[in-house]
Amino acid sequence: MTPFFQGLGLPYEWAWTISTICGILLIALPVMLSVAMVIYVDRKVWAAMALRRGPNVVGPFGLLQSFADGLKVFLQETIIPAAANKGLFLIGPIVTFTVALLAWAVIPFNSGAILANINVGLLYILAISSLGVYGIVIAGWSSNSKYPFFSAMRASAQMISYEVSIGFILICVVLWAGSFNLNDIVKAQHGHGFGFINGFWCNPLLFPMWVMFLISSMAETQRAPFDLTEAESELVAGYQTEYSSMAFALFWLGEYGNVLMMCALNATLFWGGYLPPLEIPVLYLIPGWIWLILKIAFGFFVFSWVKATVPRYRYDQLMRLGWKIFLPVSLLFVFLVSGYLMATGHFA
Amino acid sequence: MIQAFAFYLFATLMIVSGAVTILARNPVHSVLWLILAFFNAAGLMVLAGAEFIAMLLIIVYVGAVAVLFLFVVMMLDIDFAELRAGFIRNAPLGVILAVVLFVELFVGILVRSAGDMAIGTAGAATAVPAGLSNTAAIGALLYTRYLFVFEAAGFILLVAMIGAIVLTHRQRSGVRGQNIAKQIARRPEEATINLQPEVGKGVSL
């Protein structure tokens, strides 16, 4: 966009600043809007799977339900517990919300349509997602209350555990694509399967990685069946117990923002990002960002499908899955993938 | 212009947050300020063109090490009066350490401004080849020139990890662990029996 603003007669610095701000708004506003819609979709999917109707009163088909909920929490009183650590208590939800939006900067929405086309895009996403835990830990500690504190402990252990295997899975993808840049990773998936299928998922060495990535991303975003940090049968509502009104809403927005982010990452790394799923010229008539959104929507459907059908893990089972199964298997696949690439002279 | 502004912003914030890390009464606040310091350090790395190191700094220090710090510090039951008593007792030692560090830093800067010994200057290291991103450049260097040092570092870490596990692991008796493979392998025939006892006889299993 910078050349466009330069064309209006602005010097480079100003054009860059304005186009970056426009880019941020172009990403952040649709993401926030889609978070509202995705909460509605989530509730509709659970309802359909439980043979209920779900939200159907506010607006046509209940489409405006999330906005009504948003208005409700906005009008509520913000309650800060007397024993809480006030500053940190308010910083917690802000961190969660901000971090959920930050990672979108490096997602390519179309060939070249990327806010920050940096060399270390994937590492940036890892770095940002490792920050996500702080919002929860700060919230849990500063609430100065038992159950939020347990929740914070669980969250930090859980996120560290699954980050390790996510790191190894991403390394497999990076090895194959030969770059940390997400745009290059998407391009590397062009015609990956028989020159016809766009996406790493059709690769027999990377397909198991995709399955593990899907499961790990559920654990990383604390979605069911790994929602132990807010297990209502054990911890009331976990780290959100003491929160009300907008602070609580920020947690919700952040949580769903993270889920969407993980779906976007899934689409970008394994399903060909903005490329159409099959290499047919007609499919290129549909713009890339629509393909990306469709893939994200599919990923999100899988997330809510799992939430509606799979019972919650016990904590020791969660740790066992992370450390005893995912870590060794993903490590093995790093060896297999790099061995295969060396043997076939992929980068020679 | 913008680079200078960013540099002074990051540098100032880093020094301030480093200072507050030491001055904060509450250890949890200290850790959070430390994280801010790490962040600004990463910002400085980006400015220096070392984006790979910057990201690793955040992933490793902020994402893992500081979380563990926070994990431990959060569980402390802090007694502020006791903390302050310890401060006065340990103050002389702290002052000596501070003086030693300051003198070293001062001498270091003095020596550097006096002239170089060509240790650690940019000339001694290989320049980044043109057209390589700095991830690829570091990788190429680590896996060719410094391969054995790199492997040795990895090996030492592995030994340390195994050592930590050996030292802390203990076999407890009477723990009924879950064997998932065994549970999945179980069939209805082994798990259930169909009996039709006479009335009042009961069943022995």
Side-chain angles (χ1 to χ4, degrees), chain B residues 71-138:
Chain B
F71 197 88
V72 174
V73 161
M74 276 198 317
M75 288 191 284
L76 294 177
D77 192 16
I78 311 147
D79 186 352
F80 289 109
E82 202 176 313
L83 270 182
R84 256 170 254 149
F87 176 77
I88 290 165
R89 203 174 57 235
N90 294 327
L93 189 67
V95 169
I96 291 169
L97 262 178
V99 168
V100 169
L101 282 178
F102 177 75
V103 169
E104 281 184 354
L105 201 64
F106 189 72
V107 170
I109 292 170
L110 211 67
V111 166
R112 190 176 158 75
S113 60
D116 54 349
M117 271 171 59
I119 301 172
T121 49
T126 326
V128 177
L132 267 185
S133 74
N134 79 55
T135 315
I138 289 176

Side-chain angles (χ1 to χ4, degrees), chain A residues 161-217:
Chain A
S161 311
Y162 280 85
E163 231 154 57
V164 180
S165 61
I166 284 191
F168 281 128
I169 293 166
L170 296 188
I171 282 178
C172 291
V173 174
V174 167
L175 279 173
W176 216 294
S179 171
F180 276 113
N181 184 314
L182 286 172
N183 212 8
D184 292 348
I185 291 176
V186 171
K187 278 182 190 146
Q189 298 177 53
H190 187 261
H192 188 70
F194 315 112
F196 183 63
I197 305 169
N198 293 329
F200 277 146
W201 63 272
C202 58
N203 184 326
L205 277 175
L206 291 178
F207 183 76
M209 292 295 95
W210 170 66
V211 174
M212 284 172 50
F213 181 77
L214 190 69
I215 299 172
S216 301
S217 59

